[in-house]
Amino acid sequence: MKTWTRRAALVGAGGVAGWEIASLINARLPVYDGTRRIELPTAETVLNDASGLSATPVHKHITLSGPADDALIAAIRQELAQAKSDKRPLNIGAARHSMGGQAIPRGGTAITFDTTDIDLDSTGLSYRAHAGARWSQVIAALDPTGFSPKVMQSNNDFGLAATYSVNAHGWPVPFGPMGSTVRSLRMILPTGDLVTCSRTENSDLFALAMGGYGLIGVIIDMDIEMVKNTRLSPRFAVMDASAFAPAFRDAINDPGVTMAYGRLNVERKTFFTKALLITYRETPDQSDLPAASGSGWLSHAASRLYRAQLGNETFKSFRWWNETRIGPRLAAGDVTRNALINEPVATLDDRNPSRTDILHEYFVGFDAFEDFVQACRDVIPDSYQEFLNVTLRYVAQDDQSVLSYAPVPRIAAVMSFSQELTQRAEADMARLTRALIDRVTDIGGAYYLPYRPHATLDQLAAAYPSAETFARAKRALDPDLVLRNNLWDHYLGQL
């Protein structure tokens, strides 16, 4: 069993030779003359998120630790009451990896949980965890007992309640978003009332809070499903992009496939014409599973390879060749389920002070995938943005969340851009985003809400037809609008 991650081999185009080439190329993209640089203010009373573009003043930022007991409940009730009295907003955050202030209360009270409270029920195949526990902590608790999270985000840095609040998804198939694996939760409403929510108890609150961005209540702890950790073997298939959707559907429908995702090539000249499908199946031997590994040296090499694409079309082509030829050879060995998902975001962090990584995500039906690919070809290569990667994942139908982005089974396209920190680049990203959203909603798809707030209000309403229903329910539950963030201030509060 190799100690480095298979994801690193693929994300970074997985080759030692690439490390040396990347060191020589080492892209140095300019910040162009005549453009105004975006300044990034820092202060104790300013919070930001992963974009670096959401600097937001807050009244105070506090960290609450300890178990989900009476003391914690009392502390949250006190903060809610104080915020209501002061007419200030309150919001809970974890990694704050959103990119538009969705976890930051402007001028209000920001709370971060710090805890590792996780209890396993091996008979019931579930675990009870504090809302602020991180996925890395969950994996560390489950792995020695032979279990694994059923669905989590594709990185291990994020908090459990945060994942539920954005209803994120991951690689496991054939499942829906993470919210589909939550059996119940306890939540403090803006009134201070502590309620238990599930599909059978306070089901309306359960559906509102799932993908509700912390606007419905403060989640305290959660009962979440788990599955057996298993040894998996990968398979790789390179194809034309036009063949990806049916091949992906076949993989999802194969009961032997437990993990699956895809990639598309990103060089401008042949943009999105080729696809790579990676699937994982359980091996016959499931004995003596090794402990879940973390990032190894290859992950750091992957970061160099990933960054070497900046401003270099030749290296983008090299990365695709390496990812489809060399990467499968390096990643051909077996890997456990937990090792595969035990990867931090920091692996591919950009340390260039003049640039920032920006994510987009779009959800489209299988039958609309070719239209989506054409829309991307029409819009992305002509922009100023440096496009680095797209990962294609599966999301099963979600008919529970009020703000569902997958009312039918959909392909999720997670896109990574490198954006220069200038006014010109920000304006161009807004233009590109709106153009893509229009094309996606025209084919019946949706965009994801945790990213840059470039969509128009009309575009949000088109992608999320139940948004107005959500806003009405929010006002009924929280007439003083104590629980607020930028998503509410900029969008939902206008409905």
Side-chain angles (χ1 to χ4, degrees):
M1 174 86 52
K2 298 178 177 67
T3 59
W4 41 265
T5 65
R6 275 66 186 169
R7 176 189 308 196
L10 293 169
V11 170
V16 178
W19 167 273
E20 297 297 334
I21 295 172
S23 300
L24 294 173
I25 294 175
N26 194 20
R28 297 175 178 85
L29 294 183
V31 174
Y32 293 98
D33 293 338
T35 59
R36 181 182 172 192
R37 181 178 173 82
I38 296 175
E39 299 300 329
L40 305 179
T42 58
E44 288 185 6
T45 56
V46 173
L47 284 183
N48 215 322
D49 56 27
S51 71
L53 298 171
S54 301
T56 306
V58 298
H59 175 61
K60 64 178 178 179
H61 178 205
I62 62 175
T63 299
L64 297 179
S65 58
D69 57 9
D70 291 344
L72 181 67
I73 293 169
I76 292 171
R77 282 173 169 160
Q78 180 179 344
E79 293 297 339
L80 280 169
Q82 188 65 54
K84 181 178 178 179
S85 174
D86 294 344
K87 298 186 181 341
R88 296 184 184 276
L90 180 146
N91 201 265
I92 307 288
R96 290 187 173 85
H97 200 264
S98 56
M99 295 188 170
Q102 292 90 342
I104 307 176
R106 180 175 293 274
T109 299
I111 299 176
T112 299
F113 285 140
D114 180 17
T115 183
T116 58
D117 190 15
I118 302 167
D119 295 315
L120 274 64
D121 177 5
S122 56
T123 303
L125 291 178
S126 67
Y127 56 96
R128 192 79 181 176
H130 192 293
R134 303 299 180 95
W135 288 108
S136 57
Q137 297 167 340
V138 172
I139 293 173
L142 269 58
D143 190 68
T145 67
F147 292 101
S148 178
K150 190 173 184 178
V151 174
M152 59 170 269
Q153 286 176 262
S154 60
N155 293 99
N156 66 11
D157 313 69
F158 312 119
L160 271 62
T163 297
Y164 178 81
S165 295
V166 301
N167 208 16
H169 60 90
W171 297 3
V173 298
F175 307 119
M178 178 265 181
S180 66
T181 71
V182 175
R183 293 181 179 175
S184 68
L185 58 87
R186 291 195 302 162
M187 179 168 62
I188 300 175
L189 299 178
T191 59
D193 294 326
L194 177 66
V195 295
T196 298
C197 304
S198 69
R199 289 169 184 80
T200 57
E201 184 178 3
N202 292 312
S203 58
D204 55 338
L205 297 178
F206 189 76
L208 286 164
M210 187 190 300
Y213 292 80
L215 294 169
I216 301 304
V218 177
I219 298 173
I220 301 300
D221 52 19
M222 316 175 75
D223 186 18
I224 307 172
E225 294 175 350
M226 62 187 183
V227 295
K228 283 284 188 181
N229 184 33
T230 55
R231 180 179 285 111
L232 304 173
S233 178
R235 298 182 189 178
F236 307 86
V238 182
M239 64 197 71
D240 291 336
S242 59
F244 179 80
F248 198 28
R249 193 199 300 268
D250 288 344
I252 302 305
N253 291 332
D254 183 344
V257 174
T258 61
M259 292 272 197
Y261 65 97
R263 295 269 166 74
L264 297 170
N265 68 310
V266 301
E267 60 270 39
R268 278 181 163 87
K269 186 176 181 181
T270 58
F271 191 74
F272 279 20
T273 57
K274 295 294 182 181
L276 172 65
L277 174 61
I278 304 100
T279 56
Y280 289 85
R281 294 167 173 81
E282 293 184 6
T283 63
D285 180 13
Q286 293 295 322
S287 62
D288 300 323
L289 298 186
S293 59
S295 296
W297 65 270
L298 195 63
S299 294
H300 300 288
S303 179
R304 294 287 292 274
L305 292 162
Y306 193 72
R307 294 297 160 190
Q309 297 178 105
L310 286 171
N312 195 307
E313 294 301 305
T314 299
F315 202 83
K316 289 179 182 177
S317 297
F318 171 77
R319 179 191 173 220
W320 180 253
W321 173 84
N322 215 6
E323 189 170 29
T324 55
R325 300 292 182 88
I326 305 300
R329 296 179 185 177
L330 289 174
D334 298 341
V335 60
T336 68
R337 193 179 193 276
N338 282 338
L340 188 64
I341 59 179
N342 196 27
E343 187 78 15
V345 172
T347 298
L348 295 177
D349 270 355
D350 187 7
R351 296 173 179 85
N352 186 335
S354 67
R355 307 188 70 83
T356 184
D357 286 347
I358 298 297
L359 297 180
H360 290 205
E361 188 164 353
Y362 301 95
F363 306 94
V364 296
F366 281 79
D367 294 339
F369 184 71
E370 283 196 71
D371 292 332
F372 169 72
V373 168
Q374 186 59 53
C376 294
R377 290 179 188 146
D378 293 342
V379 174
I380 295 174
D382 290 336
S383 74
Y384 293 138
Q385 309 302 328
E386 281 292 323
F387 190 92
L388 299 181
N389 188 67
V390 60
T391 301
L392 304 171
R393 305 172 188 165
Y394 172 74
V395 185
Q397 180 174 339
D398 170 23
D399 53 9
Q400 300 172 29
S401 172
V402 174
L403 292 178
S404 173
Y405 52 74
V408 297
R410 284 179 168 170
I411 296 174
V414 186
M415 300 178 173
S416 177
F417 295 84
S418 175
Q419 177 185 321
E420 66 182 28
L421 289 172
T422 64
Q423 299 290 348
R424 179 195 74 160
E426 180 70 355
D428 178 64
M429 184 63 81
R431 177 201 60 78
L432 179 153
T433 303
R434 291 168 186 157
L436 282 176
I437 291 173
D438 278 342
R439 295 288 292 268
V440 168
T441 54
D442 282 347
I443 58 175
Y447 72 99
Y448 202 17
L449 295 175
Y451 298 129
R452 295 295 296 144
H454 291 321
T456 67
L457 185 60
D458 287 342
Q459 286 179 323
L460 182 142
Y464 293 87
S466 296
E468 190 172 352
T469 299
F470 179 93
R472 285 198 304 268
K474 155 71 176 175
R475 290 190 179 94
L477 289 164
D478 186 10
D480 296 302
L481 300 179
V482 176
L483 298 177
R484 298 204 310 273
N485 53 28
N486 189 54
L487 181 64
W488 178 266
D489 294 342
H490 196 71
Y491 290 108
L492 296 171
Q494 311 303 315
L495 297 175

